[in-house]
PDB file of all heavy atoms in Angstrom:
ATOM      1  N   VAL A 881       0.824  -1.165  -0.045  1.00 95.00           N
ATOM      2  CA  VAL A 881       0.031  -0.013   0.027  1.00 95.00           C
ATOM      3  C   VAL A 881       0.937   1.305  -0.043  1.00 95.00           C
ATOM      4  O   VAL A 881       0.662   2.167  -0.761  1.00 95.00           O
ATOM      5  CB  VAL A 881      -0.932   0.029   1.243  1.00 95.00           C
ATOM      6  CG1 VAL A 881      -1.634   1.358   1.413  1.00 95.00           C
ATOM      7  CG2 VAL A 881      -2.068  -1.088   1.081  1.00 95.00           C
ATOM      8  N   ALA A 882       1.944   1.265   0.837  1.00 94.00           N
ATOM      9  CA  ALA A 882       2.882   2.403   0.839  1.00 94.00           C
ATOM     10  C   ALA A 882       3.440   2.645  -0.473  1.00 94.00           C
ATOM     11  O   ALA A 882       3.593   3.788  -0.897  1.00 94.00           O
ATOM     12  CB  ALA A 882       3.848   2.200   2.007  1.00 94.00           C
ATOM     13  N   GLU A 883       3.912   1.704  -1.248  1.00 95.00           N
ATOM     14  CA  GLU A 883       4.400   1.785  -2.560  1.00 95.00           C
ATOM     15  C   GLU A 883       3.404   2.411  -3.507  1.00 95.00           C
ATOM     16  O   GLU A 883       3.684   3.248  -4.245  1.00 95.00           O
ATOM     17  CB  GLU A 883       4.974   0.406  -3.063  1.00 95.00           C
ATOM     18  CG  GLU A 883       6.112  -0.098  -2.368  1.00 95.00           C
ATOM     19  CD  GLU A 883       6.536  -1.463  -2.854  1.00 95.00           C
ATOM     20  OE1 GLU A 883       6.134  -1.865  -3.987  1.00 95.00           O
ATOM     21  OE2 GLU A 883       7.227  -2.188  -2.072  1.00 95.00           O
ATOM     22  N   TRP A 884       2.171   1.813  -3.436  1.00 94.00           N
ATOM     23  CA  TRP A 884       1.088   2.264  -4.324  1.00 94.00           C
ATOM     24  C   TRP A 884       0.734   3.748  -4.210  1.00 94.00           C
ATOM     25  O   TRP A 884       0.389   4.405  -5.081  1.00 94.00           O
ATOM     26  CB  TRP A 884      -0.124   1.420  -4.168  1.00 94.00           C
ATOM     27  CG  TRP A 884      -1.265   1.649  -5.081  1.00 94.00           C
ATOM     28  CD1 TRP A 884      -1.373   1.526  -6.415  1.00 94.00           C
ATOM     29  CD2 TRP A 884      -2.554   2.203  -4.653  1.00 94.00           C
ATOM     30  NE1 TRP A 884      -2.549   1.915  -6.891  1.00 94.00           N
ATOM     31  CE2 TRP A 884      -3.343   2.355  -5.803  1.00 94.00           C
ATOM     32  CE3 TRP A 884      -2.985   2.516  -3.439  1.00 94.00           C
ATOM     33  CZ2 TRP A 884      -4.569   2.732  -5.805  1.00 94.00           C
ATOM     34  CZ3 TRP A 884      -4.443   2.998  -3.410  1.00 94.00           C
ATOM     35  CH2 TRP A 884      -5.098   3.178  -4.501  1.00 94.00           C
ATOM     36  N   LEU A 885       0.742   4.196  -2.873  1.00 93.00           N
ATOM     37  CA  LEU A 885       0.390   5.525  -2.489  1.00 93.00           C
ATOM     38  C   LEU A 885       1.170   6.524  -3.302  1.00 93.00           C
ATOM     39  O   LEU A 885       0.726   7.604  -3.500  1.00 93.00           O
ATOM     40  CB  LEU A 885       0.488   5.712  -1.046  1.00 93.00           C
ATOM     41  CG  LEU A 885      -0.669   5.109  -0.235  1.00 93.00           C
ATOM     42  CD1 LEU A 885      -0.379   5.313   1.228  1.00 93.00           C
ATOM     43  CD2 LEU A 885      -2.031   5.552  -0.540  1.00 93.00           C
ATOM     44  N   VAL A 886       2.371   6.296  -3.554  1.00 94.00           N
ATOM     45  CA  VAL A 886       3.267   7.301  -4.212  1.00 94.00           C
ATOM     46  C   VAL A 886       3.189   7.172  -5.782  1.00 94.00           C
ATOM     47  O   VAL A 886       3.795   8.013  -6.387  1.00 94.00           O
ATOM     48  CB  VAL A 886       4.725   7.180  -3.745  1.00 94.00           C
ATOM     49  CG1 VAL A 886       4.893   7.465  -2.316  1.00 94.00           C
ATOM     50  CG2 VAL A 886       5.348   5.797  -4.094  1.00 94.00           C
ATOM     51  N   GLU A 887       2.453   6.213  -6.365  1.00 93.00           N
ATOM     52  CA  GLU A 887       2.300   6.148  -7.789  1.00 93.00           C
ATOM     53  C   GLU A 887       1.422   7.267  -8.197  1.00 93.00           C
ATOM     54  O   GLU A 887       0.489   7.700  -7.536  1.00 93.00           O
ATOM     55  CB  GLU A 887       1.722   4.807  -8.160  1.00 93.00           C
ATOM     56  CG  GLU A 887       2.688   3.598  -7.963  1.00 93.00           C
ATOM     57  CD  GLU A 887       2.070   2.310  -8.376  1.00 93.00           C
ATOM     58  OE1 GLU A 887       1.009   2.358  -9.016  1.00 93.00           O
ATOM     59  OE2 GLU A 887       2.618   1.345  -8.095  1.00 93.00           O
ATOM     60  N   GLU A 888       1.501   7.700  -9.442  1.00 92.00           N
ATOM     61  CA  GLU A 888       0.621   8.700  -9.990  1.00 92.00           C
ATOM     62  C   GLU A 888      -0.717   8.108 -10.254  1.00 92.00           C
ATOM     63  O   GLU A 888      -0.952   7.004 -10.606  1.00 92.00           O
ATOM     64  CB  GLU A 888       1.227   9.144 -11.396  1.00 92.00           C
ATOM     65  CG  GLU A 888       0.504  10.237 -11.985  1.00 92.00           C
ATOM     66  CD  GLU A 888       1.077  10.757 -13.233  1.00 92.00           C
ATOM     67  OE1 GLU A 888       2.308  10.541 -13.475  1.00 92.00           O
ATOM     68  OE2 GLU A 888       0.363  11.365 -14.035  1.00 92.00           O
ATOM     69  N   ASN A 889      -1.760   8.963  -9.941  1.00 91.00           N
ATOM     70  CA  ASN A 889      -3.184   8.529 -10.010  1.00 91.00           C
ATOM     71  C   ASN A 889      -3.577   8.528 -11.463  1.00 91.00           C
ATOM     72  O   ASN A 889      -3.150   9.394 -12.254  1.00 91.00           O
ATOM     73  CB  ASN A 889      -3.980   9.508  -9.228  1.00 91.00           C
ATOM     74  CG  ASN A 889      -3.884   9.423  -7.847  1.00 91.00           C
ATOM     75  OD1 ASN A 889      -3.633   8.324  -7.280  1.00 91.00           O
ATOM     76  ND2 ASN A 889      -3.976  10.522  -7.110  1.00 91.00           N
ATOM     77  N   LYS A 890      -4.435   7.607 -11.850  1.00 88.00           N
ATOM     78  CA  LYS A 890      -5.040   7.648 -13.161  1.00 88.00           C
ATOM     79  C   LYS A 890      -6.116   8.741 -13.261  1.00 88.00           C
ATOM     80  O   LYS A 890      -6.663   9.108 -12.155  1.00 88.00           O
ATOM     81  CB  LYS A 890      -5.649   6.301 -13.483  1.00 88.00           C
ATOM     82  CG  LYS A 890      -4.624   5.146 -13.600  1.00 88.00           C
ATOM     83  CD  LYS A 890      -5.306   3.871 -13.667  1.00 88.00           C
ATOM     84  CE  LYS A 890      -4.346   2.742 -13.661  1.00 88.00           C
ATOM     85  NZ  LYS A 890      -4.894   1.367 -13.338  1.00 88.00           N
ATOM     86  N   ALA A 891      -6.308   9.262 -14.429  1.00 88.00           N
ATOM     87  CA  ALA A 891      -7.445  10.259 -14.548  1.00 88.00           C
ATOM     88  C   ALA A 891      -8.836   9.558 -14.168  1.00 88.00           C
ATOM     89  O   ALA A 891      -9.024   8.361 -14.507  1.00 88.00           O
ATOM     90  CB  ALA A 891      -7.597  10.720 -16.046  1.00 88.00           C
ATOM     91  N   PRO A 892      -9.636  10.375 -13.454  1.00 85.00           N
ATOM     92  CA  PRO A 892     -10.989   9.744 -13.107  1.00 85.00           C
ATOM     93  C   PRO A 892     -11.796   9.354 -14.323  1.00 85.00           C
ATOM     94  O   PRO A 892     -11.720  10.028 -15.398  1.00 85.00           O
ATOM     95  CB  PRO A 892     -11.597  10.838 -12.205  1.00 85.00           C
ATOM     96  CG  PRO A 892     -10.806  12.011 -12.385  1.00 85.00           C
ATOM     97  CD  PRO A 892      -9.553  11.687 -13.048  1.00 85.00           C
ATOM     98  N   SER A 893     -12.594   8.407 -14.166  1.00 83.00           N
ATOM     99  CA  SER A 893     -13.444   7.989 -15.261  1.00 83.00           C
ATOM    100  C   SER A 893     -14.942   8.244 -14.841  1.00 83.00           C
ATOM    101  O   SER A 893     -15.258   8.256 -13.775  1.00 83.00           O
ATOM    102  CB  SER A 893     -13.251   6.465 -15.591  1.00 83.00           C
ATOM    103  OG  SER A 893     -13.693   5.687 -14.486  1.00 83.00           O
ATOM    104  N   GLN A 894     -15.703   8.410 -15.830  1.00 82.00           N
ATOM    105  CA  GLN A 894     -17.211   8.652 -15.585  1.00 82.00           C
ATOM    106  C   GLN A 894     -18.012   7.926 -16.583  1.00 82.00           C
ATOM    107  O   GLN A 894     -17.761   7.957 -17.837  1.00 82.00           O
ATOM    108  CB  GLN A 894     -17.497  10.004 -15.732  1.00 82.00           C
ATOM    109  CG  GLN A 894     -18.946  10.441 -15.520  1.00 82.00           C
ATOM    110  CD  GLN A 894     -19.194  11.921 -15.625  1.00 82.00           C
ATOM    111  OE1 GLN A 894     -18.392  12.663 -15.170  1.00 82.00           O
ATOM    112  NE2 GLN A 894     -20.450  12.208 -16.032  1.00 82.00           N
ATOM    113  N   ARG A 895     -19.003   7.144 -16.164  1.00 85.00           N
ATOM    114  CA  ARG A 895     -19.966   6.526 -17.051  1.00 85.00           C
ATOM    115  C   ARG A 895     -21.242   6.642 -16.308  1.00 85.00           C
ATOM    116  O   ARG A 895     -21.563   6.193 -15.327  1.00 85.00           O
ATOM    117  CB  ARG A 895     -19.692   5.032 -17.135  1.00 85.00           C
ATOM    118  CG  ARG A 895     -18.348   4.692 -17.911  1.00 85.00           C
ATOM    119  CD  ARG A 895     -17.940   3.257 -17.866  1.00 85.00           C
ATOM    120  NE  ARG A 895     -19.067   2.308 -17.784  1.00 85.00           N
ATOM    121  CZ  ARG A 895     -18.873   0.982 -17.850  1.00 85.00           C
ATOM    122  NH1 ARG A 895     -17.679   0.513 -18.026  1.00 85.00           N
ATOM    123  NH2 ARG A 895     -19.890   0.223 -17.746  1.00 85.00           N
ATOM    124  N   ASP A 896     -22.162   7.494 -17.052  1.00 90.00           N
ATOM    125  CA  ASP A 896     -23.461   7.800 -16.478  1.00 90.00           C
ATOM    126  C   ASP A 896     -24.471   7.798 -17.520  1.00 90.00           C
ATOM    127  O   ASP A 896     -24.630   8.676 -18.407  1.00 90.00           O
ATOM    128  CB  ASP A 896     -23.434   9.158 -15.808  1.00 90.00           C
ATOM    129  CG  ASP A 896     -24.625   9.484 -14.985  1.00 90.00           C
ATOM    130  OD1 ASP A 896     -25.721   8.893 -15.242  1.00 90.00           O
ATOM    131  OD2 ASP A 896     -24.489  10.383 -14.004  1.00 90.00           O
ATOM    132  N   GLU A 897     -25.235   6.732 -17.602  1.00 93.00           N
ATOM    133  CA  GLU A 897     -26.307   6.580 -18.573  1.00 93.00           C
ATOM    134  C   GLU A 897     -27.375   7.675 -18.609  1.00 93.00           C
ATOM    135  O   GLU A 897     -27.823   8.220 -19.591  1.00 93.00           O
ATOM    136  CB  GLU A 897     -27.055   5.224 -18.260  1.00 93.00           C
ATOM    137  CG  GLU A 897     -28.137   4.862 -19.252  1.00 93.00           C
ATOM    138  CD  GLU A 897     -28.931   3.662 -18.947  1.00 93.00           C
ATOM    139  OE1 GLU A 897     -28.383   2.766 -18.099  1.00 93.00           O
ATOM    140  OE2 GLU A 897     -29.963   3.279 -19.533  1.00 93.00           O
ATOM    141  N   PHE A 898     -27.637   8.224 -17.353  1.00 95.00           N
ATOM    142  CA  PHE A 898     -28.526   9.373 -17.288  1.00 95.00           C
ATOM    143  C   PHE A 898     -28.103  10.530 -18.086  1.00 95.00           C
ATOM    144  O   PHE A 898     -28.890  11.203 -18.833  1.00 95.00           O
ATOM    145  CB  PHE A 898     -28.581   9.705 -15.752  1.00 95.00           C
ATOM    146  CG  PHE A 898     -29.234  11.122 -15.447  1.00 95.00           C
ATOM    147  CD1 PHE A 898     -30.609  11.210 -15.514  1.00 95.00           C
ATOM    148  CD2 PHE A 898     -28.479  12.242 -15.227  1.00 95.00           C
ATOM    149  CE1 PHE A 898     -31.244  12.478 -15.245  1.00 95.00           C
ATOM    150  CE2 PHE A 898     -29.095  13.376 -14.992  1.00 95.00           C
ATOM    151  CZ  PHE A 898     -30.462  13.558 -14.970  1.00 95.00           C
ATOM    152  N   LEU A 899     -26.775  10.884 -18.073  1.00 94.00           N
ATOM    153  CA  LEU A 899     -26.223  12.008 -18.725  1.00 94.00           C
ATOM    154  C   LEU A 899     -26.395  11.791 -20.285  1.00 94.00           C
ATOM    155  O   LEU A 899     -26.641  12.753 -21.124  1.00 94.00           O
ATOM    156  CB  LEU A 899     -24.823  12.296 -18.446  1.00 94.00           C
ATOM    157  CG  LEU A 899     -24.587  12.796 -16.994  1.00 94.00           C
ATOM    158  CD1 LEU A 899     -23.126  12.999 -16.608  1.00 94.00           C
ATOM    159  CD2 LEU A 899     -25.503  14.034 -16.728  1.00 94.00           C
ATOM    160  N   ALA A 900     -26.246  10.571 -20.797  1.00 94.00           N
ATOM    161  CA  ALA A 900     -26.483  10.246 -22.162  1.00 94.00           C
ATOM    162  C   ALA A 900     -27.937  10.546 -22.519  1.00 94.00           C
ATOM    163  O   ALA A 900     -28.262  11.093 -23.603  1.00 94.00           O
ATOM    164  CB  ALA A 900     -26.169   8.798 -22.520  1.00 94.00           C
ATOM    165  N   LYS A 901     -28.900  10.287 -21.728  1.00 95.00           N
ATOM    166  CA  LYS A 901     -30.330  10.547 -21.986  1.00 95.00           C
ATOM    167  C   LYS A 901     -30.534  12.044 -21.911  1.00 95.00           C
ATOM    168  O   LYS A 901     -31.262  12.637 -22.726  1.00 95.00           O
ATOM    169  CB  LYS A 901     -31.215   9.856 -20.911  1.00 95.00           C
ATOM    170  CG  LYS A 901     -31.162   8.340 -21.210  1.00 95.00           C
ATOM    171  CD  LYS A 901     -31.944   7.608 -20.082  1.00 95.00           C
ATOM    172  CE  LYS A 901     -31.925   6.052 -20.399  1.00 95.00           C
ATOM    173  NZ  LYS A 901     -32.720   5.372 -19.440  1.00 95.00           N
ATOM    174  N   VAL A 902     -29.857  12.814 -21.045  1.00 96.00           N
ATOM    175  CA  VAL A 902     -30.080  14.201 -20.939  1.00 96.00           C
ATOM    176  C   VAL A 902     -29.511  14.820 -22.129  1.00 96.00           C
ATOM    177  O   VAL A 902     -30.018  15.884 -22.631  1.00 96.00           O
ATOM    178  CB  VAL A 902     -29.301  14.753 -19.665  1.00 96.00           C
ATOM    179  CG1 VAL A 902     -29.210  16.333 -19.716  1.00 96.00           C
ATOM    180  CG2 VAL A 902     -30.015  14.402 -18.353  1.00 96.00           C
ATOM    181  N   TYR A 903     -28.435  14.308 -22.695  1.00 94.00           N
ATOM    182  CA  TYR A 903     -27.783  14.847 -23.896  1.00 94.00           C
ATOM    183  C   TYR A 903     -28.904  14.911 -25.080  1.00 94.00           C
ATOM    184  O   TYR A 903     -28.813  15.879 -25.900  1.00 94.00           O
ATOM    185  CB  TYR A 903     -26.657  13.970 -24.300  1.00 94.00           C
ATOM    186  CG  TYR A 903     -25.872  14.616 -25.437  1.00 94.00           C
ATOM    187  CD1 TYR A 903     -24.907  15.622 -25.119  1.00 94.00           C
ATOM    188  CD2 TYR A 903     -25.913  14.149 -26.747  1.00 94.00           C
ATOM    189  CE1 TYR A 903     -24.080  16.124 -26.126  1.00 94.00           C
ATOM    190  CE2 TYR A 903     -25.072  14.695 -27.700  1.00 94.00           C
ATOM    191  CZ  TYR A 903     -24.252  15.695 -27.385  1.00 94.00           C
ATOM    192  OH  TYR A 903     -23.424  16.185 -28.383  1.00 94.00           O
ATOM    193  N   VAL A 904     -29.817  14.041 -25.127  1.00 95.00           N
ATOM    194  CA  VAL A 904     -30.820  14.008 -26.092  1.00 95.00           C
ATOM    195  C   VAL A 904     -32.159  14.337 -25.541  1.00 95.00           C
ATOM    196  O   VAL A 904     -33.225  13.916 -26.124  1.00 95.00           O
ATOM    197  CB  VAL A 904     -30.869  12.696 -26.981  1.00 95.00           C
ATOM    198  CG1 VAL A 904     -29.605  12.543 -27.741  1.00 95.00           C
ATOM    199  CG2 VAL A 904     -31.042  11.562 -25.994  1.00 95.00           C
ATOM    200  N   ILE A 905     -32.200  15.094 -24.453  1.00 95.00           N
ATOM    201  CA  ILE A 905     -33.498  15.448 -23.861  1.00 95.00           C
ATOM    202  C   ILE A 905     -34.438  16.190 -24.784  1.00 95.00           C
ATOM    203  O   ILE A 905     -35.671  16.133 -24.568  1.00 95.00           O
ATOM    204  CB  ILE A 905     -33.271  16.275 -22.483  1.00 95.00           C
ATOM    205  CG1 ILE A 905     -34.444  16.063 -21.541  1.00 95.00           C
ATOM    206  CG2 ILE A 905     -32.962  17.727 -22.797  1.00 95.00           C
ATOM    207  CD1 ILE A 905     -34.125  16.362 -20.114  1.00 95.00           C
ATOM    208  N   ALA A 906     -33.976  16.821 -25.814  1.00 92.00           N
ATOM    209  CA  ALA A 906     -34.845  17.482 -26.759  1.00 92.00           C
ATOM    210  C   ALA A 906     -35.726  16.471 -27.540  1.00 92.00           C
ATOM    211  O   ALA A 906     -36.734  16.879 -28.029  1.00 92.00           O
ATOM    212  CB  ALA A 906     -34.032  18.293 -27.769  1.00 92.00           C
ATOM    213  N   LEU A 907     -35.449  15.214 -27.530  1.00 94.00           N
ATOM    214  CA  LEU A 907     -36.215  14.240 -28.116  1.00 94.00           C
ATOM    215  C   LEU A 907     -37.404  13.808 -27.267  1.00 94.00           C
ATOM    216  O   LEU A 907     -38.327  13.149 -27.723  1.00 94.00           O
ATOM    217  CB  LEU A 907     -35.442  13.028 -28.556  1.00 94.00           C
ATOM    218  CG  LEU A 907     -34.288  13.193 -29.514  1.00 94.00           C
ATOM    219  CD1 LEU A 907     -33.583  11.815 -29.654  1.00 94.00           C
ATOM    220  CD2 LEU A 907     -34.854  13.620 -30.834  1.00 94.00           C
ATOM    221  N   MET A 908     -37.330  14.202 -26.030  1.00 95.00           N
ATOM    222  CA  MET A 908     -38.409  13.786 -25.084  1.00 95.00           C
ATOM    223  C   MET A 908     -39.444  14.855 -25.082  1.00 95.00           C
ATOM    224  O   MET A 908     -39.243  16.016 -25.238  1.00 95.00           O
ATOM    225  CB  MET A 908     -37.861  13.619 -23.660  1.00 95.00           C
ATOM    226  CG  MET A 908     -36.810  12.559 -23.610  1.00 95.00           C
ATOM    227  SD  MET A 908     -36.208  12.492 -21.870  1.00 95.00           S
ATOM    228  CE  MET A 908     -34.698  11.590 -22.028  1.00 95.00           C
ATOM    229  N   ASP A 909     -40.720  14.419 -24.763  1.00 94.00           N
ATOM    230  CA  ASP A 909     -41.786  15.445 -24.345  1.00 94.00           C
ATOM    231  C   ASP A 909     -41.559  15.945 -22.967  1.00 94.00           C
ATOM    232  O   ASP A 909     -40.665  15.372 -22.241  1.00 94.00           O
ATOM    233  CB  ASP A 909     -43.142  14.893 -24.548  1.00 94.00           C
ATOM    234  CG  ASP A 909     -43.617  13.735 -23.656  1.00 94.00           C
ATOM    235  OD1 ASP A 909     -43.094  13.652 -22.548  1.00 94.00           O
ATOM    236  OD2 ASP A 909     -44.380  12.820 -24.066  1.00 94.00           O
ATOM    237  N   HIS A 910     -42.244  16.980 -22.585  1.00 95.00           N
ATOM    238  CA  HIS A 910     -42.022  17.661 -21.294  1.00 95.00           C
ATOM    239  C   HIS A 910     -42.201  16.642 -20.114  1.00 95.00           C
ATOM    240  O   HIS A 910     -41.469  16.593 -19.231  1.00 95.00           O
ATOM    241  CB  HIS A 910     -43.084  18.775 -21.134  1.00 95.00           C
ATOM    242  CG  HIS A 910     -42.792  19.484 -19.920  1.00 95.00           C
ATOM    243  ND1 HIS A 910     -43.606  19.280 -18.743  1.00 95.00           N
ATOM    244  CD2 HIS A 910     -41.928  20.483 -19.563  1.00 95.00           C
ATOM    245  CE1 HIS A 910     -43.156  20.127 -17.746  1.00 95.00           C
ATOM    246  NE2 HIS A 910     -42.138  20.881 -18.280  1.00 95.00           N
ATOM    247  N   GLN A 911     -43.272  15.716 -20.207  1.00 95.00           N
ATOM    248  CA  GLN A 911     -43.480  14.704 -19.176  1.00 95.00           C
ATOM    249  C   GLN A 911     -42.383  13.738 -19.035  1.00 95.00           C
ATOM    250  O   GLN A 911     -41.909  13.478 -17.862  1.00 95.00           O
ATOM    251  CB  GLN A 911     -44.845  13.993 -19.478  1.00 95.00           C
ATOM    252  CG  GLN A 911     -45.241  13.012 -18.474  1.00 95.00           C
ATOM    253  CD  GLN A 911     -45.479  13.656 -17.087  1.00 95.00           C
ATOM    254  OE1 GLN A 911     -45.997  14.747 -16.991  1.00 95.00           O
ATOM    255  NE2 GLN A 911     -45.167  12.848 -15.997  1.00 95.00           N
ATOM    256  N   GLN A 912     -41.818  13.274 -20.155  1.00 96.00           N
ATOM    257  CA  GLN A 912     -40.679  12.332 -20.116  1.00 96.00           C
ATOM    258  C   GLN A 912     -39.455  12.945 -19.460  1.00 96.00           C
ATOM    259  O   GLN A 912     -38.797  12.430 -18.653  1.00 96.00           O
ATOM    260  CB  GLN A 912     -40.319  11.800 -21.472  1.00 96.00           C
ATOM    261  CG  GLN A 912     -41.335  10.841 -22.115  1.00 96.00           C
ATOM    262  CD  GLN A 912     -41.077  10.556 -23.443  1.00 96.00           C
ATOM    263  OE1 GLN A 912     -40.781  11.448 -24.316  1.00 96.00           O
ATOM    264  NE2 GLN A 912     -41.135   9.289 -23.871  1.00 96.00           N
ATOM    265  N   ALA A 913     -39.238  14.228 -19.909  1.00 96.00           N
ATOM    266  CA  ALA A 913     -37.987  14.931 -19.432  1.00 96.00           C
ATOM    267  C   ALA A 913     -38.223  15.189 -17.888  1.00 96.00           C
ATOM    268  O   ALA A 913     -37.194  14.949 -17.096  1.00 96.00           O
ATOM    269  CB  ALA A 913     -37.836  16.279 -20.129  1.00 96.00           C
ATOM    270  N   THR A 914     -39.397  15.546 -17.437  1.00 96.00           N
ATOM    271  CA  THR A 914     -39.670  15.761 -16.074  1.00 96.00           C
ATOM    272  C   THR A 914     -39.487  14.506 -15.235  1.00 96.00           C
ATOM    273  O   THR A 914     -38.816  14.424 -14.174  1.00 96.00           O
ATOM    274  CB  THR A 914     -41.024  16.399 -15.820  1.00 96.00           C
ATOM    275  OG1 THR A 914     -41.107  17.581 -16.436  1.00 96.00           O
ATOM    276  CG2 THR A 914     -41.405  16.485 -14.383  1.00 96.00           C
ATOM    277  N   GLU A 915     -39.948  13.416 -15.760  1.00 97.00           N
ATOM    278  CA  GLU A 915     -39.874  12.012 -15.069  1.00 97.00           C
ATOM    279  C   GLU A 915     -38.338  11.709 -14.877  1.00 97.00           C
ATOM    280  O   GLU A 915     -37.938  11.180 -13.847  1.00 97.00           O
ATOM    281  CB  GLU A 915     -40.686  10.988 -15.810  1.00 97.00           C
ATOM    282  CG  GLU A 915     -42.086  11.174 -15.587  1.00 97.00           C
ATOM    283  CD  GLU A 915     -42.935  10.133 -16.339  1.00 97.00           C
ATOM    284  OE1 GLU A 915     -42.357   9.201 -17.006  1.00 97.00           O
ATOM    285  OE2 GLU A 915     -44.139  10.257 -16.451  1.00 97.00           O
ATOM    286  N   LEU A 916     -37.597  11.891 -15.939  1.00 97.00           N
ATOM    287  CA  LEU A 916     -36.250  11.672 -16.012  1.00 97.00           C
ATOM    288  C   LEU A 916     -35.511  12.335 -14.838  1.00 97.00           C
ATOM    289  O   LEU A 916     -34.737  11.844 -14.037  1.00 97.00           O
ATOM    290  CB  LEU A 916     -35.513  11.894 -17.350  1.00 97.00           C
ATOM    291  CG  LEU A 916     -34.022  11.711 -17.450  1.00 97.00           C
ATOM    292  CD1 LEU A 916     -33.706  10.218 -17.476  1.00 97.00           C
ATOM    293  CD2 LEU A 916     -33.477  12.329 -18.737  1.00 97.00           C
ATOM    294  N   LEU A 917     -35.752  13.645 -14.833  1.00 97.00           N
ATOM    295  CA  LEU A 917     -35.034  14.473 -13.812  1.00 97.00           C
ATOM    296  C   LEU A 917     -35.556  14.270 -12.429  1.00 97.00           C
ATOM    297  O   LEU A 917     -34.840  14.284 -11.445  1.00 97.00           O
ATOM    298  CB  LEU A 917     -35.377  15.984 -14.167  1.00 97.00           C
ATOM    299  CG  LEU A 917     -34.536  16.484 -15.340  1.00 97.00           C
ATOM    300  CD1 LEU A 917     -34.949  17.876 -15.760  1.00 97.00           C
ATOM    301  CD2 LEU A 917     -33.022  16.508 -15.049  1.00 97.00           C
ATOM    302  N   GLN A 918     -36.901  13.990 -12.262  1.00 97.00           N
ATOM    303  CA  GLN A 918     -37.502  13.717 -10.988  1.00 97.00           C
ATOM    304  C   GLN A 918     -36.909  12.415 -10.346  1.00 97.00           C
ATOM    305  O   GLN A 918     -36.683  12.271  -9.128  1.00 97.00           O
ATOM    306  CB  GLN A 918     -39.005  13.650 -10.970  1.00 97.00           C
ATOM    307  CG  GLN A 918     -39.530  15.020 -11.253  1.00 97.00           C
ATOM    308  CD  GLN A 918     -39.190  16.007 -10.284  1.00 97.00           C
ATOM    309  OE1 GLN A 918     -39.208  15.919  -9.070  1.00 97.00           O
ATOM    310  NE2 GLN A 918     -38.744  17.151 -10.710  1.00 97.00           N
ATOM    311  N   ASP A 919     -36.663  11.284 -11.227  1.00 97.00           N
ATOM    312  CA  ASP A 919     -36.128  10.150 -10.674  1.00 97.00           C
ATOM    313  C   ASP A 919     -34.703  10.368 -10.121  1.00 97.00           C
ATOM    314  O   ASP A 919     -34.283   9.955  -9.086  1.00 97.00           O
ATOM    315  CB  ASP A 919     -36.058   9.087 -11.837  1.00 97.00           C
ATOM    316  CG  ASP A 919     -37.393   8.475 -12.218  1.00 97.00           C
ATOM    317  OD1 ASP A 919     -38.312   8.669 -11.366  1.00 97.00           O
ATOM    318  OD2 ASP A 919     -37.495   7.869 -13.219  1.00 97.00           O
TER     319      ASP A 919
END
């Protein structure tokens, strides 16, 4: 652990299906968009 602590960190990763849906929120009607955000 002590050896690993001094190693350089990798860049953080992100995978979020919700954000992919937000990206195309214009394809949703108001109700669908609201439900997505409310969830």
Side-chain angles (χ1 to χ4, degrees):
V881 168
E883 290 175 22
W884 181 69
L885 288 175
V886 296
E887 289 181 13
E888 186 175 337
N889 294 323
K890 297 174 185 161
S893 63
Q894 178 179 328
R895 290 173 33 173
D896 192 336
E897 182 180 348
F898 166 80
L899 293 177
K901 291 177 181 181
V902 169
Y903 190 79
V904 293
I905 205 162
L907 297 177
M908 297 179 200
D909 63 30
H910 184 263
Q911 182 63 34
Q912 289 172 314
T914 297
E915 287 174 9
L916 178 70
L917 289 169
Q918 290 305 308
D919 287 347

